[in-house]
Amino acid sequence: MDPSSLLRMLGGLAVVLAILSGALWMVRRFDLRLPGRAISSIDRRLELIETLPIDGRRMIALVRRDGHEHLMLIAPEGHLIIENAITKDATDIAAEEERALARAEAAVRREEQREARAAAAAEAVESFSILVDRARQRTAPAAAAFTSALEHAARSIASARSGTAPVAATAADATVDPTGASPAPRTEPAAAAPSTDAMQPPVPLPGGTRTRRATAVETPQETDVA
């Protein structure tokens, strides 16, 4: 099956499901009467209260008609009326009260469990916050040292780009004078002036290949007087 055929099939299925959903919404919204539903839900006299499966083929159903309840057995071999025109007596009223009390107790237990879960979640969040604060306190010195190293590396890179010597960050730089006076600026030693010998070009020697550098001041040569 090619992808185009698969897409067309999925699109058709989506359209059919959308049409069925719209039809069901219209039936429920406008209370339309379908075949087998002669009256509206407000005027309905029959109501299925409860069903209890016995096995795969038999079940017991409780049906109400105009306030009267009927208990019947539904089976493939035939239907049997177990109890007809059931009316509520003191036993039924007591059973209903017991069921209502059980529902109330179950609701209270669910509320207690919900509150316990909320308290446990709040305690877990508080414990996690405490652990995070402790971790921050333990890692604060390392973070400060790492930040200082990054700043020093940034200063070194900036100094290298500008052509000046970087200033090393020491513990003395980080100390603060208790009196509040600002520390004196540090001065770098001046670079030595280049030698004049290195600035003079080499001078060739007569009668040889070796050369010597001319000095700034030539010493006078002594001559013998005959």
Side-chain angles (χ1 to χ4, degrees):
M1 181 181 294
D2 55 344
S4 60
S5 300
L6 181 61
L7 290 176
R8 285 196 298 270
M9 183 180 65
L10 293 177
L13 180 60
V15 170
V16 171
L17 292 177
I19 292 174
L20 292 177
S21 301
L24 181 60
W25 178 82
M26 291 181 65
V27 169
R28 292 185 175 179
R29 175 66 177 80
F30 300 102
D31 198 12
L32 300 178
R33 296 185 180 183
L34 301 177
R37 186 181 176 188
I39 60 177
S40 62
S41 59
I42 301 176
D43 300 330
R44 182 181 298 177
R45 299 175 60 191
L46 293 176
E47 184 180 0
L48 180 61
I49 304 300
E50 188 178 352
T51 59
L52 178 63
I54 299 177
D55 52 19
R57 303 176 61 187
R58 299 175 181 84
M59 64 181 301
I60 296 177
L62 181 62
V63 181
R64 178 182 296 168
R65 193 270 307 168
D66 293 338
H68 297 279
E69 296 179 353
H70 308 274
L71 186 64
M72 61 181 65
L73 173 65
I74 302 174
E77 57 272 10
H79 308 311
L80 176 63
I81 303 297
I82 300 176
E83 191 174 359
N84 191 11
I86 303 173
T87 56
K88 294 182 179 180
D89 54 5
T91 304
D92 297 332
I93 295 174
E96 287 185 356
E97 291 178 355
E98 290 179 359
R99 288 194 295 271
L101 182 60
R103 287 193 297 269
E105 292 178 354
V108 171
R109 286 194 299 269
R110 287 194 299 269
E111 186 66 24
E112 291 177 354
Q113 293 175 359
R114 188 180 300 108
E115 292 178 356
R117 287 193 297 267
E123 184 177 358
V125 170
E126 185 177 359
S127 301
F128 182 74
S129 301
I130 294 174
L131 291 177
V132 170
D133 294 338
R134 291 179 180 176
R136 287 179 178 176
Q137 293 175 1
R138 292 178 181 177
T139 57
F146 181 71
T147 304
S148 178
L150 287 180
E151 293 178 354
H152 177 60
R155 288 196 300 267
S156 300
I157 294 173
S159 301
R161 288 180 178 178
S162 61
T164 59
V167 180
T170 59
D173 297 336
T175 57
V176 180
D177 191 357
T179 60
S182 59
R186 299 180 58 184
T187 58
E188 295 294 333
S195 176
T196 57
D197 296 341
M199 299 176 60
Q200 296 295 331
V203 178
L205 294 175
T209 58
R210 295 183 179 179
T211 60
R212 65 181 180 84
R213 295 182 180 274
T215 58
V217 180
E218 296 290 343
T219 58
Q221 299 180 356
E222 297 179 359
T223 58
D224 297 334
V225 178

